[in-house]
Amino acid sequence: MSTPVLLVIAHGSRDPRHAATVHALVRRIRSLRPDVRVETGFLDFNVPSVQGVLESLETEGVRDVVALPLLLTRAFHAKSDIPAVLADAPPRLRIRQAEVLGPSPLLLSALERRLYEAGLTPADKSSTGVVLASAGSSDPEAIAVIAEIAREWRHTGWCAVRPAFASASLPRTEDAVRELRALGCARVAVAPYVLAPGFLPDRIARGAAEADVLADVLGPSPEVARVLLERYDAARVPVPAAVGA
């Protein structure tokens, strides 16, 4: 059986940094798994579109595709937009939709990597409060996941960890920064739980004005690439049919 093509589905953005970051991540994936063909499609703003990539693959004779949402939570895009696009794919394609990237211990490792690259050290953990700043969502499931990640991360030794959201939900980054100051944390760091630069990450950065440290977005970090390949491998293996089905 041929190895399924991995189609990375990104949201897209008018900000050119977004697509550049997505392409950098895809290059890292290709370097890690040269045996896997990796393509990129965008839902909006950028080309190629998801539909265009799927049509090209079908024309080439490709039959098996794993569609992987480049998303950190299961919110509207993962539950609605992407399934709708895939439902319109050429009928000869066999497409499996992989799970979103988060939550994953590897993503927590990537967040810490970015904080250390921004100037913190492991010795700073017990005196540093961290704002886990995500894009935000109107989906309660997605918000609950971010809150749970913050609780889990707190148990790894940070002074405190608070979730924050750039849109749709509260608190905002600046409010979480002030809350951590009020708690008595010696320093406050903001860790953007976002994959690529853009409008909402810029809002997070503005909200971090009173913080001591602002980490970079997750971007093409090796941990993100490993999570992505884990999701691909899990999706490419067909689930055994139930006995008697």
Side-chain angles (χ1 to χ4, degrees), residues 37 106 123 135 158 187 228:
R37 177 176 174 181
L106 283 169
W158 296 100
R187 67 182 63 79
L228 202 151

Side-chain angles (χ1 to χ4, degrees), residues 56-80:
S56 295
L57 291 174
E58 193 271 342
T59 299
E60 288 181 36
V62 170
R63 291 295 174 262
D64 290 295
V65 176
V66 169
L68 198 153
L70 196 58
L71 300 167
L72 294 172
T73 58
R74 287 191 74 252
F76 181 78
H77 294 304
K79 295 177 180 179
S80 181

Side-chain angles (χ1 to χ4, degrees), residues 18-182:
H18 174 89
T21 302
V22 171
H23 292 313
L25 176 60
V26 168
R27 286 194 297 272
R28 184 180 286 275
I29 295 163
R30 288 174 176 149
S31 71
L32 291 173
R33 290 287 291 275
D35 59 310
V36 176
R37 177 176 174 181
V38 187
E39 299 292 341
T40 308
F42 295 90
L43 292 173
D44 207 353
F45 302 116
N46 302 105
V47 292
S49 67
V50 175
Q51 189 68 26
V53 174
L54 291 172
E55 290 172 357
S56 295
L57 291 174
E58 193 271 342
T59 299
E60 288 181 36
V62 170
R63 291 295 174 262
D64 290 295
V65 176
V66 169
L68 198 153
L70 196 58
L71 300 167
L72 294 172
T73 58
R74 287 191 74 252
F76 181 78
H77 294 304
K79 295 177 180 179
S80 181
D81 282 357
I82 291 175
V85 171
L86 297 180
D88 287 336
R92 283 185 287 185
L93 289 177
R94 292 184 291 267
I95 303 175
R96 302 185 188 99
Q97 182 175 330
E99 291 295 328
V100 298
L101 302 184
S104 167
L106 283 169
L107 294 178
L108 284 181
S109 297
L111 286 166
E112 294 207 355
R113 168 197 289 272
R114 293 302 190 221
L115 286 171
Y116 297 149
E117 289 171 349
L120 293 178
T121 70
D124 296 322
K125 291 183 76 168
S126 63
S127 58
T128 301
V130 178
V131 178
L132 179 68
S134 75
S137 172
S138 57
D139 188 308
E141 178 187 350
I143 297 304
V145 166
I146 299 300
E148 179 57 32
I149 292 170
R151 285 190 291 269
E152 178 183 337
W153 203 14
R154 163 69 181 83
H155 296 312
T156 65
W158 296 100
C159 172
V161 180
R162 293 291 185 272
F165 307 96
S167 68
S169 307
L170 295 173
R172 294 286 183 258
T173 301
E174 53 268 34
D175 297 324
V177 168
R178 291 170 190 140
E179 180 186 352
L180 291 171
R181 290 266 188 240

